[in-house]
């Protein structure tokens, strides 16, 4: 896979009510997907989830979500750089109506179990700092495996201050495997959805995303991304995600795979894994946290 195949610019996958639609078929894999819905004031969209479980995650704006007779009111946020948001969970085989105004991400995964629709409060989202120095970033683990129950879907948000690198050191999760040294790797497909502070969908300042493979499974991606762009990661090492100086970078990670247990298990590129050990002597970037008090974790 090359950059031209992995990078899906804003507007290039629009279909029906969706400003952005990445189905497993469009991505060329089996489980993970993402849609972005843009609603004008008083806007309304109805749809069926089919065989996918989904989330409704406000990127900018607020909405009410109607599903299985429940009304879930999402207070939302002004932008992804302003606050952690509340969200809604939608099960497979459900009829849904969303009413509101703004831009909303709908991460999805092919699901076998049908769970109940639920509300996720912003105050309950585990938020942490990772890395140190110029590798400092904030992670909102709103749908991490140990934070929110789903069948297969995993999703987290990452906010990186301008000039910093995140998704670093580069790591991969392309096969279910336990290594001789005890490291565990999962098989996961991953979508990166980006926003850049000061940008509008499809325009404005940029960030960068690197994905690379091995001799056995080559992939070579160095993508310049703007607000609304997507990068697909079917396999290979991914990172760094690079925020240009002066422009904070946001990305939404959507992951899903065939494993019976939800996990984000990954392994570092062995050439660069030593970098984690260097963080112990460095302070976290003082610009963090960007949205709420957090704890530091490696």
């Amino acid at each position: 896979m090359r950059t031209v195949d992995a990078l899906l610019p804003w507007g290039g996958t629009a279909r029906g009510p969706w400003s952005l639609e990445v189905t497993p078929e469009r991505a060329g894999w089996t489980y993970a997907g993402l849609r972005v819905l843009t609603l004008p004031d008083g806007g309304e969209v109805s749809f069926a989830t089919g065989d996918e479980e989904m989330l409704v995650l406000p990127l900018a704006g607020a909405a009410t979500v109607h599903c299985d007779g429940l009304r879930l009111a999402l207070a939302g946020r002004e932008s992804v750089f302003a606050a952690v948001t509340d969200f809604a969970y939608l099960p497979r085989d459900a009829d849904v109506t969303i009413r509101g105004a703004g831009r909303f991400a709908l991460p999805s995964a092919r699901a076998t179990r049908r769970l109940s629709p639920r509300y996720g409060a912003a105050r309950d989202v585990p938020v942490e700092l990772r890395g140190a120095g110029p590798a400092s970033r904030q992670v909102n683990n709103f749908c991490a495996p140990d934070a929110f129950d789903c069948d297969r879907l995993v999703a987290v948000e990452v906010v990186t201050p301008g000039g910093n690198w995140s998704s670093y050191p580069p790591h991969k999760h392309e096969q279910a495997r336990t290594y001789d040294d005890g490291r565990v790797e999962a098989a996961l497909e991953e979508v990166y959805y980006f926003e850049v502070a000061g940008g509008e969908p499809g325009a404005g300042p940029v960030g960068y995303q690197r994905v690379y493979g091995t001799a056995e499974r080559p992939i070579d991606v160095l993508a310049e991304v703007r607000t609304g762009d997507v990068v697909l990661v079917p396999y290979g090492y991914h990172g760094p995600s690079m925020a240009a100086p002066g422009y904070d970078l946001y990305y939404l990670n959507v992951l899903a795979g065939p494993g019976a247990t939800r996990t984000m298990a990954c392994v570092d590129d062995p050439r660069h894994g030593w970098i984690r050990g260097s963080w112990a002597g460095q302070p976290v970037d003082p610009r963090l946290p960007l949205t709420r008090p957090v704890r530091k974790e490696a």
Side-chain angles (χ1 to χ4, degrees):
M1 181 177 282
R2 303 165 299 158
T3 300
V4 68
D5 304 308
L7 174 62
L8 305 180
W10 175 262
T13 63
R15 190 176 73 91
W18 312 114
S19 302
L20 179 156
E21 184 184 45
V22 181
T23 63
E25 290 79 9
R26 173 63 181 83
W29 54 40
T30 307
Y31 300 99
L34 175 67
R35 295 161 178 84
V36 173
L37 175 66
T38 305
L39 290 176
D41 288 344
E44 176 180 317
V45 166
S46 296
F47 60 94
T49 58
D51 63 358
E52 295 176 291
E53 59 181 351
M54 300 180 182
L55 304 173
V56 181
L57 179 77
L59 300 171
T64 56
V65 180
H66 299 262
C67 179
D68 284 3
L70 295 179
R71 179 183 182 274
L72 306 174
L74 303 182
R77 54 188 167 185
E78 182 179 348
S79 79
V80 296
F81 301 103
V84 176
T85 186
D86 52 358
F87 62 97
Y89 173 82
L90 311 176
R92 61 167 291 162
D93 301 317
D95 292 320
V96 180
T97 298
I98 302 175
R99 299 187 179 100
R103 191 165 65 253
F104 307 90
L106 283 80
S108 63
R110 290 270 157 73
T112 55
R113 291 186 301 148
R114 190 180 195 278
L115 307 180
S116 299
R118 281 166 290 141
Y119 173 77
R123 66 177 177 273
D124 295 331
V125 173
V127 181
E128 63 181 280
L129 300 186
R130 290 186 187 165
S136 302
R137 63 273 200 185
Q138 176 177 334
V139 184
N140 304 330
N141 289 304
F142 70 99
C143 191
D146 57 353
F148 193 82
D149 188 31
C150 296
D151 182 47
R152 292 188 184 275
L153 178 61
V154 174
V156 300
E157 300 179 308
V158 181
V159 186
T160 307
N164 285 9
W165 283 15
S166 60
S167 279
Y168 196 71
H171 59 279
K172 71 180 179 75
H173 37 68
E174 64 184 34
Q175 58 183 321
R177 178 179 176 184
T178 299
Y179 291 79
D180 292 341
D181 59 7
R183 294 176 300 151
V184 177
E185 179 182 357
L188 295 168
E189 306 157 352
E190 185 165 10
V191 178
Y192 274 72
Y193 166 85
F194 294 91
E195 299 209 356
V196 184
E200 296 293 333
V206 302
Y208 295 87
Q209 177 67 40
R210 180 76 171 116
V211 185
Y212 60 93
T214 61
E216 294 75 22
R217 301 194 77 186
I219 182 171
D220 187 10
V221 175
L222 178 56
E224 184 175 271
V225 295
R226 292 176 170 80
T227 293
D229 290 351
V230 161
V231 171
L232 303 176
V233 185
Y235 56 87
Y237 292 105
H238 36 292
S241 303
M242 295 165 271
Y247 298 100
D248 297 338
L249 178 69
Y250 164 96
Y251 53 89
L252 169 65
N253 290 139
V254 183
L255 307 97
T261 302
R262 291 168 68 227
T263 178
M264 297 180 71
C266 62
V267 292
D268 294 335
D269 183 332
R271 296 171 297 177
H272 306 301
W274 66 267
I275 292 166
R276 292 188 187 274
S278 71
W279 295 339
Q282 299 183 56
V284 173
D285 190 313
R287 293 173 291 178
L288 292 173
L290 292 177
T291 57
R292 58 177 279 183
V294 296
R295 66 187 187 277
K296 182 183 184 298
E297 295 195 2

